[in-house]
Amino acid sequence: MPSSPSTPDRLLDAAELLFADNGYHGVPVRTITQAAGTRLAAINDHFGGKEKLFQAVVARRAGLINEDRERLLSQAEPVGQGADGLASIVEAFARPLLTRSQESEGWRNYLRLTAQLSTTRSTVLLLIADQFDTIAQHFMAAIGAAVPALDERQRGLAYQLMVASVMGVFSDNLRINVLTGNRFQSSDFNAHYADLIGYVTGGMLGLAQARSEPPG
């Protein structure tokens, strides 16, 4: 018979879902502890406060995502130049999210939550960027190898736009449901995946083309 989740795990699971649904600032501590079935003081006891709990929620799965991405990126190296090389980089970034999203509802909640981080300027949420800064440098270097025409600013922009596009798809934000009268679902990641890879790859190539064309 499987053992019951520990109090810290219950708090992490409850917070992950609530933060994904309502954002960090929209979830009172009491709501988290009620959902986890714990005492109000449990968050302070186990994590040292709401902010530390939030950081623990993100860190719990961030390491696994980073390991997945590092492995796939290393398999793609040496990265070729042009569309094929770029596609392998985008795949290395996005494929772990597709794979992990199939594992559990918890992973889908996590992806919805981390999608919020790609556009934030909140001091609390920006602290989470530390979890992904090292892997970001690796991807920026790979992008530069695939498209040498991109300067440092454009490599950073290319990475940022890749993050926004990928996380936009995996945010499961229901927009495509509304826009298509529910003929298509934002939760159908498999249906959107190939288009996502092509869109991001083409966008990066477009950055290089824009740089090479004279204004006027």
Side-chain angles (χ1 to χ4, degrees):
M1 181 176 180
S3 58
S4 299
S6 66
T7 296
D9 283 339
R10 296 205 311 275
L11 287 167
L12 288 167
D13 290 341
E16 185 174 62
L17 173 58
L18 290 166
F19 289 146
D21 283 345
N22 304 290
Y24 173 82
H25 297 290
V27 183
V29 167
R30 185 180 297 275
T31 302
I32 298 171
T33 55
Q34 287 177 342
T38 66
R39 298 178 302 110
L40 184 60
I43 289 177
N44 277 330
D45 292 345
H46 291 282
F47 296 98
K50 178 183 173 183
E51 183 176 314
K52 295 293 187 183
L53 171 62
F54 182 81
Q55 293 176 12
V57 166
V58 174
R60 179 169 64 155
R61 302 188 197 269
L64 297 173
I65 289 289
N66 287 338
E67 289 174 6
D68 292 343
R69 286 173 170 162
E70 286 279 17
R71 175 175 48 79
L72 292 176
L73 190 59
S74 67
Q75 290 173 0
E77 292 176 339
V79 175
Q81 293 186 12
D84 289 344
L86 276 176
S88 69
I89 295 168
V90 180
E91 278 268 7
F93 188 85
R95 175 66 64 177
L97 306 191
L98 180 64
T99 301
R100 294 290 186 178
S101 72
Q102 321 281 322
E103 294 183 7
S104 69
E105 193 62 29
W107 268 105
R108 286 185 171 242
N109 293 336
Y110 181 80
L111 297 179
R112 289 193 295 118
L113 170 60
T114 52
Q116 300 171 25
L117 308 182
S118 63
T119 57
T120 187
R121 294 183 67 179
S122 165
T123 301
V124 172
L125 305 190
L126 284 172
L127 293 172
I128 307 305
D130 291 344
Q131 297 286 338
F132 302 102
D133 282 350
T134 299
I135 192 73
Q137 294 297 326
H138 295 169
F139 273 90
M140 287 168 60
I143 290 168
V147 191
L150 297 180
D151 61 23
E152 182 180 8
R153 179 191 65 81
Q154 288 180 308
R155 291 195 298 273
L157 182 61
Y159 178 79
Q160 184 178 348
L161 293 174
M162 177 173 69
V163 171
S165 297
V166 171
M167 298 314 300
V169 167
F170 286 97
S171 68
D172 191 12
N173 60 13
L174 305 181
R175 283 299 290 151
I176 198 169
N177 305 48
V178 174
L179 294 171
T180 65
N182 282 319
R183 288 186 298 277
F184 303 97
Q185 311 298 313
S186 65
S187 59
D188 190 359
F189 300 147
N190 281 301
H192 310 315
Y193 185 76
D195 292 332
L196 171 66
I197 302 303
Y199 177 85
V200 176
T201 300
M204 290 184 183
L205 291 172
L207 280 177
Q209 182 177 0
R211 179 175 175 78
S212 64
E213 292 178 350

